[in-house]
């Protein structure tokens, strides 16, 4: 058995180091390049889904505008995901910004605040005052998934850059590049399917795509490539279980569907909803109820995101699907 030693996490090893290595996001990147070149940079917000290059881009900017020997003194990187340490976040920013006033130092400084949408509104108000008061040589880059969680007075002080999910061809291109660098042996006849499966599980999140590639290698899935295994390690239903489930749904067999569903191991409910969404067309749903079902799936997704029991919610969905399926006669 070949033993694959994972020395390094590939998402870090292949983190882009220059603007040109950032895949897609052309509009944002071109504008950012101009700002960096002009030396006149506004405060900024990078917003968009996970794994699209926001943090990487912020780090590239910092590297471009701050001299190497001053990097640690003049760049502050904070992650606001840990709300317990919110006071720490606030104090660190204050300290960093004020250090300026004391020393009378007017060198450019950058504050990168990752996951800024986790900051409670009240603390955002404090942050807003810090941004307002701080001198013009300190630039903030706030990073978030959901810009609607950032208060308006902060948004209005920043240039907003939107990062989009990466399209299939870009994800696959990057995965192929990494595979080549790592000299992976992917069975030729399955290579395309493999990359497509990685794209499918990634949902446009390049971090997830790269992690799944590395996990496939670590678990030695490449030697005897079975795409169902790739789906399973990513928390998706394997092909045959999905087919079985679809069949029981089509025959309006609630008990059968429930049995299949409760035996699924390590189910990721959002992935499950995605797979159901993709197969909705095969389910023979009354066309007049199609839209209703889609909005019901959205509702279930929301409830789960708010902490409702995933199993109960999905069983409710199965019931609703079955109620709306036509049986061909
Ligand atoms: N647009 C991109 N171009 C190149 N690599 C990317 C891109 N987006 C994500 N990645 C890969 O995914 C990893 C995580 O990216 P990151 O910039 O942290 O994403 P985000 O902050 O948007 O969640 C990076 O290290 C890199 O390997
Ligand atoms: Mg990030």
């Amino acid at each position: 058995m070949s033993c694959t030693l994972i020395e390094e996490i590939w998402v870090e090893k292949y983190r882009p180091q220059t603007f040109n290595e950032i895949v897609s996001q052309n509009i944002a990147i071109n504008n950012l390049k101009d700002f960096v070149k002009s030396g006149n940079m506004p405060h900024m917000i990078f917003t968009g889904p996970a794994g699209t290059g926001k943090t990487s881009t912020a780090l590239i900017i910092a590297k471009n505008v701050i001299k190497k020997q001053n990097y640690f003194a003049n760049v502050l990187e904070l992650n606001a995901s840990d709300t317990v340490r919110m006071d720490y976040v606030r104090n660190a920013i204050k300290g960093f910004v004020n250090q300026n006033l004391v020393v009378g130092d007017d060198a450019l400084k950058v504050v990168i605040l990752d996951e800024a949408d986790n900051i409670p509104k009240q603390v955002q108000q404090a942050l807003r005052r810090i941004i307002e008061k701080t001198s013009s040589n300190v630039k903030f880059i706030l990073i978030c998934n959901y810009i609607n969680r950032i208060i308006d007075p902060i948004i209005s002080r920043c240039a907003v850059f939107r990062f989009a999910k990466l399209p299939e061809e870009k994800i696959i291109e990057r995965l192929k590049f990494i595979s080549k660098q790592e000299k992976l042996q992917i069975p030729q006849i399955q290579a395309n399917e493999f990359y497509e499966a990685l794209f499918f599980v990634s949902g446009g999140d390049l971090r997830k795509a790269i992690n799944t590639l590395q996990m496939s290698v670590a678990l030695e899935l490449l030697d005897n490539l079975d795409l169902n295994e790739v789906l399973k390690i990513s928390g998706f239903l394997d092909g045959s279980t999905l087919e079985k489930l679809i069949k029981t749904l089509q025959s309006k067999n609630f008990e059968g569907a429930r049995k299949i569903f409760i035996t699924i191991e390590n189910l990721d409910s959002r992935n499950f909803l995605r797979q159901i969404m993709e197969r909705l067309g095969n389910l023979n749903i009354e066309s007049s109820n199609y839209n209703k079902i889609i909005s019901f799936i959205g509702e279930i997704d929301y409830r789960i995101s708010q902490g409702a029991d995933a199993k109960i919610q999905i069983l409710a969905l199965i019931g609703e699907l079955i109620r709306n399926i036509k049986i061909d006669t």
Side-chain angles (χ1 to χ4, degrees), residues 4 57 63 87 96 130 147 159 167 215 220 237 247 307 309:
T4 320
T57 303
K63 264 198 342 202
D87 273 340
F96 182 78
I130 296 176
I147 193 162
M215 198 145 58
E220 301 179 8
L237 278 191
K247 283 234 165 66
D309 183 278

Side-chain angles (χ1 to χ4, degrees), residues 15 49-56 79 114-115 143-145 207:
R15 189 185 280 285
T52 53
K54 300 181 299 296
T55 303
S56 306
N79 191 312
D114 218 328
E115 314 220 16
I143 302 177
C144 64
N145 295 128
R207 180 193 291 110

Side-chain angles (χ1 to χ4, degrees), residues 127-149:
L127 178 64
R128 160 210 184 169
R129 284 188 291 274
I130 296 176
I131 296 177
E132 277 169 358
K133 276 197 271 171
T134 194
S135 57
S136 63
N137 62 320
V138 181
K139 301 300 178 189
F140 284 80
I141 304 178
L142 308 186
I143 302 177
C144 64
N145 295 128
Y146 304 102
I147 193 162
N148 58 354
R149 294 188 188 153

Side-chain angles (χ1 to χ4, degrees), residues 11 14-16 21-23 50-56 206-207 210:
V11 282
Y14 295 100
R15 189 185 280 285
E21 283 177 73
I22 297 281
V23 176
T52 53
K54 300 181 299 296
T55 303
S56 306
L206 185 49
R207 180 193 291 110
I210 296 173

